[in-house]
Amino acid sequence: MSFLSSLAAKILIPAILFVGIGIGFFIGNIDSDQPLEANLASTVGGAATTTAVEKIDPVEIETVIAPKALEESAPAKKQTIPPPSKPLPPPPPASVPTPDAPFAFDQKWRDAVVNLYCQWPMGGGISSGSGVVIDPRGIILTSAHVAIDFLYYDTPKTSPSPVDCWVRTGSPSQNIYRAKLMYIPADYIAEDLKGVGRFIPEENIVYGKDDYGLLVITKTVDPKGTLPASFPYIPLDARSISIPGSHMYMIGYAASYLGSIAIMKGLPLMSSPVILDSVEPIKNGSTLDTLIFNGSVAGQHGSSGGAVVRTGGKLIAIPTYFKEEGPTTGESILGAITIDYVNRDMKIDTGVTLEEFIASDTPQALLQAFLTGKAPQYHKQYVDAYAKLNTKGTIFIVPGGY
């Protein structure tokens, strides 16, 4: 009995102790304010246990890693990596010039084109050409071979001029104004003098070169008349030359198929749409200074010095010569020198462009400078040239009344 009692006591006492300890553990954990990991550490009491528990928490792991280890394990600094570059778009194609499109005709352009008419006495003949008023003060641009006749009219000399010249307007043209020459290129005078009394082979003639001049309207034919405050005019266009196929208008006093009597009575003013055929240099030149047009009813003898109007209503060129002259207007090819050429050529001769020249002073001041400077010199050169021919027994009407 005592044996069984002692064995039971041996078995029950450890069991009771174990259960009591377990109950105390869980009761103690429930009543504690510390986290579970701390209770385990204080209860079990092992440092290794504490280390194992701390490694479970990732925050605690960072606090115990050495700085060098952290540096080695830290991710690389953030870098901004640009997205893959896309290929650049191709540059826009260079703008291809296109011909000037058709445009409406303006009646005021006709009002700015004049008929320049001169007559020699004693059966000496007549001359007729065209001109364009390019300034509201009455400045006229024309061809030099038309303007030269005005050198003989009313220029300073010792005797009355045998040449009488008028500015005619309207359709048919009527004598309305008087005008005087105010500029002509020195190179044109020099070349023209070479031809006085001489035959010049066609292949030696350079058409269009220096072939421009300026007149200014000075008074009315009617002694009681007065000049308008402003003349109708066409502004100049010195833009880059249009390309072939461009639409333009040509205006002038054409007279190819009229006799002298019809010309004396008055000419019709012709205007016609034209299409630019090509752009060419003046003979022996290197720059594109001449607009070439196939036959036009407005492109006849008498149209020299008239108007070629470009889109925008500006004067781009003046008809000057026939590149080829056919039996009809439709079979002829006409050349017109550009305003761009006139500007560049005049700057070589005077130091200023056409536009700068007419803006530099009043027309009256510019005229006076020419009449007292170049005009008498040019006039004398022609008089002397014709006088030499007269000594050989040939009769010429000598400009200036010799």
Side-chain angles (χ1 to χ4, degrees):
M1 187 68 173
S2 59
F3 170 75
L4 293 173
S5 298
S6 61
L7 180 61
K10 289 179 181 180
I11 293 172
L12 289 172
I13 290 170
I16 291 169
L17 288 172
F18 178 78
V19 172
I21 293 171
I23 292 170
F25 172 79
F26 285 104
I27 293 173
N29 182 58
I30 293 171
D31 292 337
S32 173
D33 291 332
Q34 296 181 359
L36 178 61
E37 298 86 64
N39 283 313
L40 287 173
S42 60
T43 303
V44 178
T49 306
T50 303
T51 303
V53 172
E54 288 178 350
K55 286 181 180 179
I56 293 172
D57 190 336
V59 176
E60 294 297 330
I61 290 174
E62 289 184 2
T63 62
V64 298
I65 295 177
K68 184 175 181 181
L70 179 62
E71 181 180 345
E72 292 176 354
S73 61
K77 293 182 179 179
K78 184 178 181 181
Q79 297 180 355
T80 302
I81 301 175
S85 60
K86 297 180 180 179
L88 295 175
S95 58
V96 179
T98 57
D100 294 344
F103 56 101
F105 185 82
D106 193 329
Q107 175 63 36
K108 69 181 181 182
W109 302 333
R110 287 172 59 92
D111 297 337
V113 177
V114 297
N115 179 203
L116 302 175
Y117 173 74
C118 294
Q119 183 175 338
W120 279 257
M122 299 179 295
I126 59 175
S127 68
S128 179
S130 301
V132 189
V133 180
I134 59 171
D135 185 276
R137 299 171 296 174
I139 297 175
I140 299 170
L141 174 66
T142 185
S143 297
H145 68 266
V146 175
I148 191 65
D149 291 344
F150 284 77
L151 177 64
Y152 310 137
Y153 164 72
D154 202 24
T155 53
K157 45 193 171 290
T158 57
S159 61
S161 171
V163 181
D164 210 0
C165 296
W166 297 268
V167 176
R168 308 202 293 188
T169 64
S171 185
S173 59
Q174 300 296 314
N175 300 346
I176 302 297
Y177 303 114
R178 297 287 194 173
K180 293 183 181 181
L181 181 66
M182 66 183 297
Y183 172 78
I184 193 167
D187 285 350
Y188 179 87
I189 298 293
E191 286 298 314
D192 194 50
L193 284 167
K194 293 177 183 178
V196 174
R198 298 184 181 91
F199 171 74
I200 306 296
E202 183 72 19
E203 60 270 18
N204 294 342
I205 300 175
V206 181
Y207 292 108
K209 186 176 185 298
D210 306 307
D211 199 356
Y212 59 92
L214 296 173
L215 308 174
V216 60
I217 297 174
T218 57
K219 60 184 178 181
T220 62
V221 172
D222 182 357
K224 297 180 180 180
T226 58
L227 295 176
S230 178
F231 288 89
Y233 74 102
I234 303 177
L236 300 173
D237 187 342
R239 290 179 294 173
S240 59
I241 296 175
S242 297
I243 66 172
S246 293
H247 290 255
M248 301 178 186
Y249 288 98
M250 187 177 294
I251 311 169
Y253 284 91
S256 287
Y257 306 104
L258 299 176
S260 58
I261 295 177
I263 294 173
M264 292 172 65
K265 288 183 176 179
L267 294 171
L269 177 59
M270 308 291 288
S271 55
S272 174
V274 290
I275 297 177
L276 180 61
D277 183 71
S278 61
V279 185
E280 299 179 357
I282 292 174
K283 185 178 179 180
N284 302 325
S286 59
T287 55
L288 301 177
D289 296 323
T290 308
L291 307 185
I292 303 298
F293 300 94
N294 288 327
S296 165
V297 67
Q300 304 178 30
H301 287 292
S303 297
S304 291
V308 177
V309 180
R310 186 183 185 182
T311 178
K314 292 187 176 183
L315 184 72
I316 189 174
I318 56 173
T320 312
Y321 65 95
F322 279 109
K323 182 180 179 182
E324 295 181 18
E325 186 174 5
T328 66
T329 56
E331 297 171 271
S332 298
I333 301 176
L334 185 72
I337 60 173
T338 65
I339 299 303
D340 180 56
Y341 167 72
V342 174
N343 272 333
R344 286 184 283 104
D345 192 71
M346 192 167 179
K347 189 162 188 176
I348 294 172
D349 189 40
T350 66
V352 294
T353 66
L354 170 59
E355 295 166 299
E356 292 168 342
F357 178 78
I358 63 178
S360 64
D361 211 331
T362 65
Q364 291 73 24
L366 295 171
L367 174 62
Q368 189 61 26
F370 180 74
L371 292 180
T372 58
K374 296 289 187 181
Q377 299 173 24
Y378 296 158
H379 189 273
K380 186 177 185 305
Q381 289 174 335
Y382 277 100
V383 169
D384 291 345
Y386 281 106
K388 290 179 181 179
L389 294 176
N390 282 354
T391 61
K392 298 179 181 180
T394 306
I395 298 176
F396 289 87
I397 296 178
V398 180
Y402 270 56

